[in-house]
């Protein structure tokens, strides 16, 4: 197996196809991200995750499962978790009750996912709620970076109790800009000093707690002409160097509009992946491209293989170790066992 498996892909359906298995066996694939279309119920999800692990034990099974409107699995016993803003509102009434509720949210979120075989969720959102961003909105805990950092740390404690790593997003902050990087390229014209004092402050305060970070597909022209996820300055010099982060860095989805224009030039998925890896990302995501024939997935696998052979990016053992560090270290109870677990039932009673 390759010493570095940086690509996270998706699969189109409820079960693996022969083509899915071939793609998952590719040495550059290190993870799978699941979506609502991969969900029918707990038993089916457990079977799908078991199929994925049968192909390769080391594959990281991921999902965007935050609570509120970003929650892929909502039925068949899965708890409908509140948006993170609800925890911020609770903080304004009773700060310590809010931190306890945040830990309960993290525990329920991670326990339910792990009971079905999912390893990792891209949560928590560390963006601040400036009241401007439609794509962030109630996904953010609060406007105050101190409140956001403490509630996020409490939520991550709950994830950890259930044996799950975490991912702070979207570095250095997506909450200030109105544009949605799924469809546009947002531009944040504030100074580095202003961003570090406000939006990016939680990344500094949480550098002993965060195990992964996802940068924003946002351009901060006072710092770099490239979006943060393609910027060596943002990822290596600021995030790792200045803010002391030592975990894994995931690119946001390379199929988003914000990832397809670098230095003013339209780029392919492969070019975007090479740029992200060379800027300091350990893993790159390509989402929602497996549906149909999945040509974009195959093109990325072939393109990144060719780019590696040409020396355009290099396999890094340090990146691979960061990926492997995100895999759960302890076995999880199955769904029926979880439902009667005292810690789980206690956490359920604390949700806002």
């Amino acid at each position: 197996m390759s010493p570095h498996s940086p690509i996270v892909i998706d699969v189109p359906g409820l079960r693996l196809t022969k083509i899915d298995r071939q793609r998952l066996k590719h040495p550059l694939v290190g993870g799978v991200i699941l979506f609502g279309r991969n969900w029918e119920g707990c038993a089916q999800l457990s079977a799908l995750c078991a199929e994925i692990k049968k192909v390769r034990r080391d594959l990281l099974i991921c999902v965007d499962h935050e609570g509120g409107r970003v929650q892929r699995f909502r039925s068949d016993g899965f708890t409908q978790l509140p948006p993170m803003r609800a925890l911020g509102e609770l903080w304004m009434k009773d700060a310590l009750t809010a931190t306890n509720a945040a830990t309960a949210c993290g525990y329920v979120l991670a326990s339910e996912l792990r009971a079905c075989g999912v390893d990792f969720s891209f949560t928590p959102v560390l963006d601040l709620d400036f009241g401007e961003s439609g794509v962030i909105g109630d996904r953010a805990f609060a406007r105050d970076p101190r409140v956001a950092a403490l509630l996020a740390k409490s939520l991550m404690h709950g994830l950890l109790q259930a044996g799950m790593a975490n991912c702070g997003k979207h570095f250095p902050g997506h909450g200030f800009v109105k544009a949605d990087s799924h469809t546009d390229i947002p531009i944040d014209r504030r100074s580095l000093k202003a961003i570090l004092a406000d939006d990016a402050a939680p990344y500094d305060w949480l550098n002993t707690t965060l195990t992964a970070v996802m940068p924003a597909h946002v351009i901060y022209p006072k710092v770099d002409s490239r979006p943060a996820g393609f910027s060596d300055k943002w990822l290596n010099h600021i995030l790792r160097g200045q803010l002391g982060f030592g975990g894994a860095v995931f690119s946001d989805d390379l199929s988003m509009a914000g990832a397809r224009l670098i230095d003013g030039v339209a780029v392919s998925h492969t070019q975007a992946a090479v740029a992200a890896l060379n800027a300091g990302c350990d893993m790159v995501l390509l989402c929602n491209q497996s549906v149909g024939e999945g040509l974009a997935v195959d093109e990325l696998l072939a393109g990144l293989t060719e780019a590696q052979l040409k020396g355009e990016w290099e396999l890094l053992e340090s990146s691979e170790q960061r990926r492997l560090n995100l895999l759960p270290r302890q076995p999880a109870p199955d769904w029926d066992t979880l439902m009667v677990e005292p810690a789980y039932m206690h956490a359920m009673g604390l949700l806002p």
Side-chain angles (χ1 to χ4, degrees):
M1 193 176 71
S2 155
H4 183 191
S5 303
I7 305 175
V8 179
I9 62 173
D10 58 10
V11 293
L14 301 173
R15 287 160 200 84
L16 294 185
T17 64
K18 186 178 177 182
I19 293 172
D20 294 334
R21 288 190 184 88
Q22 287 173 351
R23 289 175 180 148
L24 295 177
K25 284 177 184 172
H26 195 288
L28 293 184
V29 172
V32 183
I33 180 166
L34 302 176
F35 290 91
R37 66 171 183 274
N38 304 122
W39 165 257
E40 189 177 65
C42 293
Q44 168 272 325
L45 180 61
S46 298
L48 175 62
C49 291
E51 277 190 285
I52 292 167
K53 291 291 186 178
K54 197 172 176 181
V55 175
R56 263 179 52 201
R57 284 300 316 161
D58 70 300
L59 289 172
L60 183 71
I61 302 176
C62 320
V63 67
D64 268 326
H65 200 86
E66 304 165 5
R69 59 197 157 99
V70 181
Q71 181 172 332
R72 303 300 182 213
F73 317 134
R74 297 169 178 268
S75 56
D76 197 28
F78 260 85
T79 303
Q80 179 62 61
L81 295 161
M84 295 303 99
R85 180 185 283 166
L87 292 165
E89 290 169 348
L90 182 57
W91 172 283
M92 300 309 293
K93 298 172 190 166
D94 185 336
L96 291 175
T97 296
T99 62
N100 203 33
T103 298
C105 276
Y107 186 77
V108 170
L109 185 160
S111 295
E112 291 180 351
L113 289 176
R114 291 210 57 214
C116 293
V118 179
D119 297 320
F120 181 75
S121 176
F122 292 104
T123 190
V125 168
L126 295 178
D127 301 316
L128 305 182
D129 184 8
F130 288 87
E132 293 290 321
S133 171
V135 72
I136 301 302
D138 65 0
R139 296 166 65 191
F141 289 104
R143 166 63 187 88
D144 188 329
R146 298 168 299 177
V147 176
L150 281 169
L151 287 173
K153 189 168 189 175
S154 299
L155 183 108
M156 291 189 285
H157 183 60
L159 297 176
L160 181 65
Q161 286 178 326
M164 184 176 283
N166 59 66
C167 183
K169 61 187 187 184
H170 305 83
F171 176 78
H174 200 312
F176 188 77
V177 288
K178 284 186 183 179
D180 179 353
S181 54
H182 291 84
T183 52
D184 296 294
I185 301 170
I187 297 175
D188 186 335
R189 300 189 184 280
R190 291 176 299 165
S191 68
L192 175 60
K193 184 179 178 183
I195 294 166
L196 288 177
D198 205 3
D199 302 60
Y203 294 89
D204 188 12
W205 297 328
L206 298 172
N207 64 19
T208 56
T209 313
L210 285 166
T211 49
V213 162
M214 178 178 284
H217 285 329
V218 175
I219 296 174
Y220 308 85
K222 296 255 173 80
V223 182
D224 197 342
S225 61
R226 290 187 163 200
F230 303 102
S231 165
D232 173 69
K233 185 167 185 181
W234 273 118
L235 300 184
N236 285 322
H237 294 266
I238 299 172
L239 179 63
R240 293 204 187 280
Q242 208 169 326
L243 302 181
F245 174 69
V249 177
F250 286 85
S251 81
D252 206 339
D253 177 14
L254 295 181
S255 65
M256 287 163 59
R260 304 305 301 282
L261 200 69
I262 301 176
D263 296 333
V265 178
V267 297
S268 68
H269 292 130
T270 297
Q271 289 169 318
V274 168
L277 292 167
N278 284 333
C281 286
D282 301 296
M283 306 285 290
V284 293
L285 277 83
L286 185 65
C287 302
N288 298 311
Q289 300 301 306
S290 66
V291 179
E293 293 183 28
L295 295 179
V297 178
D298 296 328
E299 285 170 10
L300 178 60
L301 294 175
L304 208 54
T305 301
E306 184 181 351
Q308 184 235 324
L309 292 172
K310 289 180 176 176
E312 293 172 10
W313 70 280
E314 66 178 310
L315 299 161
L316 296 175
E317 287 186 29
S318 57
S319 288
E320 180 67 359
Q321 191 55 55
R322 291 186 192 117
R323 180 184 78 84
L324 295 173
N325 287 345
L326 300 175
L327 288 163
R329 298 200 170 116
Q330 306 291 335
D334 64 25
W335 189 268
D336 291 341
T337 306
L338 177 67
M339 290 300 105
V340 295
E341 183 188 78
Y344 174 79
M345 291 192 290
H346 179 64
M348 286 290 290
L350 295 173
L351 298 181

